[in-house]
Amino acid sequence: PIQVPGRPLRSKDCAVTTPDIDPALFRDAMSRLAASVNIITTELDGTRRGCTATAVCSLSDTPASLIVCLNRGSSTGQLIQASGIVGVNLCDSADNDTAALFASKADDKFRPGMCDEGAVTGAPLLRSAVAGFEGKVVEAKAFGSHIIFIVEIVAVTVADQARAPLLYLNRAFGAFAAH
């Protein structure tokens, strides 16, 4: 609802209805939303998991926090729930193959020399990442097919050189080109 100065909100202003939206139509519309490609990682007792995600966004800078949304069936999301730690790796524009690997159902996605252990949480951080965030889950909420993680950031790494991030648009990877 839009708050109009001088007018109190009434309960009828806050009513929310959910029309029946065709899931395929919704996914098609969302495929037109350009998004940064991230590899979400976690680790618990020597077990590493990771997946590719575009449903990641900044929540606050004080405290530094992100929102990460993963499908409920994701083994990465399940291990994040158990470990309470998250690595968010912003992919470099050259990381197409890495993003495709982490989007797959492959059992062993981590390659030798691909990651370093995060200094604070131990979450795997990609060496090729434009930026890496280590965080601790402060809240998790199931909604529809996904789990929404609110992640408080405890460490940040940024690549030495400014590099273009990998984007996802129209079901394809690409890079941003400034005009």
Side-chain angles (χ1 to χ4, degrees), residues 95-166:
D95 281 338
N96 299 38
D97 291 342
T98 302
L101 172 64
F102 277 84
S104 76
K105 300 284 187 193
D107 288 331
D108 184 20
K109 299 175 184 179
F110 294 91
R111 303 291 184 248
M114 176 186 276
C115 296
D116 291 317
E117 186 176 292
V120 178
T121 66
L125 297 177
L126 293 175
R127 291 179 179 173
S128 62
V130 172
F133 303 88
E134 287 182 76
K136 295 183 178 181
V137 175
V138 294
E139 190 171 337
K141 172 149 180 73
F143 185 85
S145 59
H146 282 64
I147 298 174
I148 304 161
F149 294 101
I150 296 177
V151 181
E152 186 170 354
I153 302 306
V154 296
V156 177
T157 58
V158 178
D160 293 336
Q161 300 175 19
R163 299 190 318 244
L166 183 62

Side-chain angles (χ1 to χ4, degrees), residues 69-83:
C69 304
L70 299 178
N71 188 287
R72 283 187 194 212
S74 162
S75 62
T76 302
Q78 292 167 5
L79 195 62
I80 287 170
Q81 288 183 23
S83 70

